[in-house]
Amino acid sequence: MHRAIPRNQNKESSPCPISIHRLMGLTEDICWILFKEHAFNGEDPREHPDLQGISRQIASKCKGLPLAAKTLGRLLCFERNAEKWEEILKSHIWESPNDEIIPALQLSYYYLPPHLKRCFAICSIYPKDYRFLKEDLVRLWLAEGLVQPKGCKEIVKLGEEYFDDLLSRSLFQRSRCNESVFVMHDLINDLAKVVSGEFSFTLVGNYSSKISGRVRHLSYATTDYDALDKFEGIDKAQVLRTFLPFSHRRSSRVDSKVQHDLLPTFMRLRVLSLAPYQNVVQLHDSIGRLKHLRYLDLTATPLKKLPEFVCSLYNLQTLLLDSCMCLVELPNSIGNLKNLLFLRLHWTAIQSLPESIVNLSNLHTLVLSECKNLTELPPNMGKLTKLERLTDFFVGKQSGSGIEDLGKLQNLQGELRIWNLQNVFPSQDGETAKLLDKQRVKELELRWAGDTEDSQHERRVLEKLKPHKDVKRLSIIGFGGTRFPDWVGSSSFPKIVFLKLKGCKYCTSLPPLGQLVSLKELRIEAFDLIDVVFPELFGNGESKIRILSFEDMKEWREWNSDGVTFPLLQLLQIRRCPELRSALPGHLPALEELCIDRCPLLMASLPRAPTIRQMELFDTSRSVQLTKYQSGMLSLMVQKFNSQNSPLQGIEHIGVSTTLDKIEVHCCDSLKLFQPKSFPNLEILHIWDSPHLESLVDLNTSSLSISSLHIQSLSFPNLSELCVGHCSKLKSLPQGMHSLLPSLKSLSIEDCPELESFPEGGLPSKLQSLNVQNCNKLIDSRKSIGVCNHSSLFQNLELVIMKMWNPFLRKCCCPQLLHLLNYLVLKI
């Protein structure tokens, strides 16, 4: 057992002997290089001679700790005054007796502006390693009153700037898995807890009795059931402002007395979360008396209706109802919440929004994604002029908001889906949506529903829905025109990285996309009239596409890629294209994933793809999967293959056969010959339910042994496991098996009724496990008995399983084997 000890660790405290590796700090020179990279922000330190010497001295005080060098460097990045650097160098904090916090981190906090100190301190409520979103933390700051308006600047924008400032100082870090998710380093989390002092308390277990009366912010981890006694002693915190559970569970329950009796005592509460308690089916009316409440999180609770009294919480800024899948309506008086900034209804059963919602004059964010029952918005949505994030806009048919209301929402940004564009009247066009002016909308989805009665009108609408040139992701779904307008694929969109065209069933051609210079992902789906994909789709020469997908193309027969290469393509998917039968691109040097799903006529050769990590071929006659695991093992699984050609021939063409570690073949009627020379590094080979398997053969030899596993002039130096079962035509194992398979440790043979004998010369000397079942001819054969004369064969066997072998044992004259079987019978 090994573990790394990054900071204080008492070796004697370990209860059991372990191997401890103490991580050494960076050398002084490397620490200075890291420090100057952040402190000088890429500038040459020689351009600041008055700072260069000081910077080395400060870097040396970081004691080789990368986090200290990084955070202190980011602090000084904003300062070019040598006196300030000297002040930090000579600060008394370097000599601080506080062993809990590294001095460099204390300095990073000490020199923060006051408004950032307050915002950072409240981060102490987050558990260690907690992943959070930027908007989540900004909403929390706003609710706590930590972001004060400055001039005419929007308060949300100001909070985002605070966040960016702390991020630039390395007090937050981006998650490695998702750039939109953030985390605090453990040491930074410790710093936040120290500077917040008694004002923040994280409840761990049942230690609420330790809570101080000065606590303002309480957080805790939920359990399966949070009883009232868990919070015993919390009533002392009469100035409590934050009640925030954190859950890693899909469902939790809470004592009803917490909502009915405990929470109403905290009359100064500003932040309240009951997410995701699964027994909060309704809110107690006492919640309506929390007049200071600004943040209410009811995410994933089973509420069916939001009570009217919530609309009397006039200070409410944030209302989170995501994943309330039973919620069907909002109160009619929701328009009374004049201070509401954030309303999230993602994945709810909401059928309509109250007309009063247009009175939320300060609303900044309205999230309606995955509201499957919502088809229309109230009239006059254009009155929400401060709205900056609207995920979904539904064009009304006769009532509701029209396309012109969308045009009035001039500040929209981020993602925007526009639904029901078939409802744009013939007297209108898409120009009134003013998408061309919405520079900050980066992800745009345009959707039509149903069959069109006027394809020319739909083309005119799409023509006028041209987005701003800065759009990055574009989807066009259900368009009823016969061809796309010229702007689709135009060079005037240099930033598009993602394009999806789906359900355009009347289109007779695909737009040329070669001029989209930044396009990395292209998805084409459900074009009923497309029968040939021409090279013009990608442009001539090298395509920069990395992900390419075709799905549900009913009439697609041919892919003509002449003159086009795909040197960067990493993922290729072709699903449910029943008429496709022509060749795929011949060489895909960067391909890592290939999926061909339910394309039964596609018998073309697989592309050469030496970097492949994942491959799936699936339809009614075949199921082939190639997987490269994190361990590095490359495995091929064939579960069904009834085509004429063997799947192993295609694998050889791809160019990865020499690196395959494992092959499993199940129910492969077409497999008659196995060519071992193509798989020299194979370690594991399983062949099951392949009734026509006749040979395992080296084609370089003139002798083909039918009805046998036959290997000549060939060695499998790495094969350690061989399993063969339900192969009805198999009569013998490879001759010379003891020398051809020198590493074989496990051999299993099951239900091979024609198998008559072991190979001459015996079995491999390293064999440790032998399993023979339901091979009756092998039992009766004298050749099998002869194997027992090689007594050295069984010296290393650890496991032997032989069903129906009593007759064999009676004929066997090998005392070593009999003794071994008597010994191993207890282990079987």
Side-chain angles (χ1 to χ4, degrees):
M1 179 178 178
H2 300 272
R3 65 177 179 180
I5 311 297
R7 55 185 189 271
N8 294 342
Q9 174 70 46
N10 185 350
K11 187 174 181 178
E12 285 70 32
S13 65
S14 175
C16 59
I18 57 175
S19 176
I20 296 179
H21 295 275
R22 297 191 177 276
L23 297 181
M24 303 300 294
L26 303 177
T27 65
E28 191 167 310
D29 286 341
I30 295 178
C31 192
W32 180 71
I33 291 172
L34 180 61
F35 172 83
K36 75 175 182 178
E37 177 184 339
H38 293 278
F40 292 100
N41 203 24
E43 298 178 12
D44 189 341
R46 290 173 294 187
E47 296 178 5
H48 305 276
D50 54 335
L51 302 178
Q52 189 172 2
I54 305 174
S55 68
R56 280 192 172 275
Q57 295 179 65
I58 293 176
S60 68
K61 286 181 172 289
C62 292
K63 306 297 184 184
L65 295 174
L67 181 63
K70 186 177 179 180
T71 53
L72 207 51
R74 295 306 298 170
L75 169 66
L76 292 172
C77 174
F78 301 95
E79 183 61 66
R80 287 292 179 264
N81 188 331
E83 292 182 1
K84 181 66 69 174
W85 285 48
E86 284 280 0
E87 180 183 335
I88 289 176
L89 175 63
K90 297 177 180 179
S91 172
H92 68 280
I93 294 178
W94 292 111
E95 310 302 328
S96 171
N98 187 346
D99 293 333
E100 295 183 54
I101 304 299
I102 299 168
L105 300 185
Q106 294 183 57
L107 283 165
S108 297
Y109 171 78
Y110 183 80
Y111 284 97
L112 283 175
H115 64 279
L116 292 185
K117 282 185 176 179
R118 293 191 293 270
C119 290
F120 173 73
I122 202 171
C123 297
S124 61
I125 63 173
Y126 285 151
K128 287 187 176 180
D129 296 322
Y130 181 74
R131 268 59 178 166
F132 55 92
L133 299 174
K134 178 179 181 177
E135 53 265 36
D136 288 343
L137 185 52
V138 169
R139 286 195 291 260
L140 189 61
W141 289 341
L142 295 177
E144 301 290 358
L146 302 178
V147 182
Q148 298 300 322
K150 185 182 296 183
C152 61
K153 184 169 289 188
E154 294 286 345
I155 191 171
V156 178
K157 183 66 174 176
L158 195 58
E160 292 172 347
E161 290 180 2
Y162 287 5
F163 187 96
D164 292 340
D165 202 345
L166 290 173
L167 176 63
S168 70
R169 296 170 187 266
S170 296
L171 296 176
F172 303 146
Q173 299 175 356
R174 293 187 187 274
S175 168
R176 294 178 180 177
C177 303
N178 188 338
E179 285 196 351
S180 64
V181 176
F182 299 86
V183 67
M184 287 194 297
H185 190 282
D186 282 359
L187 295 178
I188 300 295
N189 188 283
D190 290 340
L191 174 64
K193 284 180 166 52
V194 168
V195 301
S196 64
E198 291 184 282
F199 292 109
S200 291
F201 185 82
T202 300
L203 178 59
V204 179
N206 293 312
Y207 293 100
S208 56
S209 58
K210 294 184 178 181
I211 195 170
S212 162
R214 302 179 66 189
V215 168
R216 295 187 179 184
H217 312 294
L218 172 70
S219 64
Y220 63 94
T222 62
T223 60
D224 289 338
Y225 182 77
D226 290 332
L228 182 64
D229 58 7
K230 174 175 182 172
F231 305 98
E232 183 180 357
I234 289 179
D235 55 347
K236 293 184 294 185
Q238 288 301 303
V239 293
L240 193 69
R241 291 188 175 189
T242 306
F243 186 88
L244 199 59
F246 291 100
S247 177
H248 298 289
R249 304 167 185 271
R250 290 190 174 182
S251 63
S252 298
R253 298 170 63 84
V254 64
D255 193 328
S256 60
K257 293 180 180 180
V258 172
Q259 186 184 172
H260 297 174
D261 301 334
L262 178 64
L263 293 179
T265 65
F266 303 126
M267 296 304 296
R268 300 187 185 185
L269 211 57
R270 292 188 172 198
V271 174
L272 171 61
S273 174
L274 294 174
Y277 287 127
Q278 291 301 295
N279 61 332
V280 180
V281 295
Q282 62 182 15
L283 291 182
H284 193 267
D285 56 9
S286 62
I287 302 296
R289 297 195 291 271
L290 300 176
K291 299 302 181 182
H292 296 283
L293 199 64
R294 299 184 180 183
Y295 179 111
L296 180 59
D297 186 359
L298 301 171
T299 298
T301 55
L303 287 171
K304 293 183 179 179
K305 183 178 179 180
L306 198 65
E308 286 285 345
F309 65 72
V310 170
C311 300
S312 65
L313 299 172
Y314 298 119
N315 290 307
L316 200 64
Q317 296 173 334
T318 295
L319 179 57
L320 306 180
L321 298 166
D322 288 348
S323 299
C324 293
M325 288 183 267
C326 299
L327 185 67
V328 295
E329 61 179 329
L330 297 177
N332 290 326
S333 56
I334 196 169
N336 294 340
L337 300 176
K338 301 296 185 181
N339 291 304
L340 194 66
L341 297 171
F342 306 96
L343 176 57
R344 293 187 58 97
L345 296 165
H346 170 77
W347 218 299
T348 62
I350 289 287
Q351 298 175 354
S352 62
L353 297 179
E355 291 190 4
S356 68
I357 201 169
V358 300
N359 297 326
L360 300 176
S361 54
N362 289 302
L363 194 64
H364 174 278
T365 296
L366 177 58
V367 175
L368 301 173
S369 50
E370 302 299 335
C371 292
K372 304 294 187 182
N373 298 329
L374 189 62
T375 59
E376 195 172 75
L377 297 180
N380 302 313
M381 286 293 288
K383 292 174 63 176
L384 300 176
T385 55
K386 291 187 178 180
L387 200 60
E388 294 193 17
R389 187 179 178 203
L390 175 64
T391 58
D392 298 79
F393 184 90
F394 299 85
V395 180
K397 188 171 185 179
Q398 294 178 339
S399 60
S401 286
I403 194 73
E404 69 281 357
D405 283 295
L406 181 60
K408 298 173 184 177
L409 304 178
Q410 300 177 6
N411 298 312
L412 294 183
Q413 60 177 306
E415 62 178 321
L416 173 63
R417 287 176 289 274
I418 307 176
W419 298 72
N420 300 334
L421 283 166
Q422 75 279 359
N423 292 336
V424 177
F425 297 135
S427 59
Q428 299 175 312
D429 57 39
E431 192 169 12
T432 55
K434 296 184 179 180
L435 294 183
L436 199 58
D437 299 332
K438 292 176 171 49
Q439 180 178 358
R440 296 193 295 167
V441 172
K442 305 301 182 185
E443 302 182 24
L444 178 64
E445 187 173 294
L446 305 174
R447 279 184 170 264
W448 286 257
D451 288 331
T452 180
E453 297 179 356
D454 187 348
S455 62
Q456 289 298 320
H457 169 62
E458 295 212 357
R459 188 176 186 278
R460 286 193 297 270
V461 170
L462 183 56
E463 179 74 51
K464 298 299 184 179
L465 287 174
K466 181 179 180 180
H468 190 273
K469 64 181 180 63
D470 288 345
V471 70
K472 293 184 176 180
R473 298 175 66 89
L474 175 64
S475 298
I476 301 175
I477 299 174
F479 170 59
T482 56
R483 65 186 182 91
F484 290 92
D486 293 339
W487 68 258
V488 178
S490 166
S491 60
S492 58
F493 296 98
K495 297 183 180 180
I496 284 186
V497 297
F498 172 93
L499 178 61
K500 181 177 183 178
L501 305 175
K502 178 179 179 180
C504 307
K505 56 185 180 181
Y506 298 113
C507 280
T508 56
S509 63
L510 294 170
L513 305 176
Q515 296 184 77
L516 299 178
V517 294
S518 298
L519 187 62
K520 292 182 173 60
E521 182 171 351
L522 175 61
R523 295 186 177 272
I524 308 290
E525 301 179 20
F527 278 68
D528 291 353
L529 301 182
I530 298 295
D531 59 354
V532 180
V533 171
F534 292 101
E536 289 77 11
L537 176 65
F538 308 101
N540 293 323
E542 292 187 353
S543 170
K544 295 183 179 180
I545 291 176
R546 289 171 168 78
I547 298 175
L548 179 58
S549 176
F550 294 96
E551 295 187 17
D552 298 303
M553 307 282 281
K554 293 181 179 179
E555 301 297 327
W556 184 28
R557 296 179 293 100
E558 179 183 352
W559 181 357
N560 184 343
S561 58
D562 292 347
V564 184
T565 59
F566 299 89
L568 304 178
L569 189 64
Q570 298 174 354
L571 170 62
L572 175 60
Q573 292 180 332
I574 305 177
R575 299 180 184 273
R576 298 177 296 279
C577 299
E579 299 299 322
L580 182 62
R581 61 187 72 207
S582 70
L584 303 179
H587 186 209
L588 300 175
L591 193 69
E592 295 182 359
E593 295 185 43
L594 172 64
C595 177
I596 300 176
D597 179 10
R598 281 164 282 184
C599 304
L601 301 182
L602 186 58
M603 299 300 179
S605 297
L606 297 174
R608 180 163 179 77
T611 60
I612 195 92
R613 299 176 61 89
Q614 179 79 32
M615 184 185 76
E616 294 180 4
L617 306 178
F618 176 79
D619 54 43
T620 56
S621 64
R622 57 189 170 178
S623 176
V624 181
Q625 184 169 1
L626 179 72
T627 304
K628 188 164 188 177
Y629 296 99
Q630 290 184 347
S631 63
M633 171 178 278
L634 186 61
S635 172
L636 174 67
M637 169 77 78
V638 181
Q639 292 183 307
K640 177 176 58 177
F641 206 90
N642 299 328
S643 305
Q644 289 184 347
N645 297 326
S646 167
L648 303 180
Q649 295 175 354
I651 294 298
E652 186 176 359
H653 178 75
I654 285 179
V656 297
S657 59
T658 58
T659 59
L660 269 175
D661 301 296
K662 180 178 180 180
I663 295 179
E664 292 189 52
V665 180
H666 298 258
C667 303
C668 186
D669 290 347
S670 64
L671 184 63
K672 296 182 179 180
L673 306 176
F674 186 83
Q675 304 179 44
K677 67 174 184 178
S678 301
F679 309 99
N681 292 310
L682 201 60
E683 295 181 9
I684 300 172
L685 174 60
H686 294 182
I687 302 178
W688 291 87
D689 294 300
S690 297
H692 297 107
L693 178 67
E694 297 175 348
S695 298
L696 181 60
V697 60
D698 178 10
L699 293 180
N700 287 330
T701 66
S702 58
S703 172
L704 298 182
S705 177
I706 305 301
S707 304
S708 68
L709 289 176
H710 183 77
I711 307 177
Q712 292 185 1
S713 306
L714 181 69
S715 173
F716 276 96
N718 299 315
L719 192 68
S720 60
E721 183 176 321
L722 175 60
C723 298
V724 182
H726 299 278
C727 297
S728 56
K729 292 188 178 181
L730 187 63
K731 287 190 174 182
S732 66
L733 295 175
Q735 297 301 318
M737 194 174 177
H738 64 289
S739 59
L740 298 177
L741 305 177
S743 301
L744 192 67
K745 296 180 180 179
S746 175
L747 174 61
S748 178
I749 310 167
E750 298 184 21
D751 294 290
C752 296
E754 297 301 317
L755 185 62
E756 296 179 346
S757 66
F758 284 117
E760 295 183 4
L763 300 175
S765 60
K766 293 186 178 180
L767 194 66
Q768 298 177 357
S769 175
L770 175 62
N771 174 24
V772 181
Q773 298 186 35
N774 299 331
C775 300
N776 296 340
K777 285 190 177 182
L778 184 61
I779 296 173
D780 297 330
S781 173
R782 294 187 176 275
K783 295 181 180 179
S784 298
I785 301 173
V787 174
C788 297
N789 295 328
H790 299 270
S791 57
S792 61
L793 171 66
F794 300 99
Q795 291 178 358
N796 296 320
L797 273 175
E798 296 176 356
L799 177 62
V800 180
I801 302 175
M802 297 184 182
K803 291 186 178 179
M804 299 172 62
W805 270 55
N806 284 338
F808 170 80
L809 294 178
R810 284 194 295 268
K811 298 177 184 179
C812 181
C813 56
C814 176
Q816 292 94 335
L817 178 58
L818 289 172
H819 176 75
L820 182 61
L821 289 175
N822 289 330
Y823 170 73
L824 290 174
V825 73
L826 298 177
K827 300 172 67 175
I828 297 176

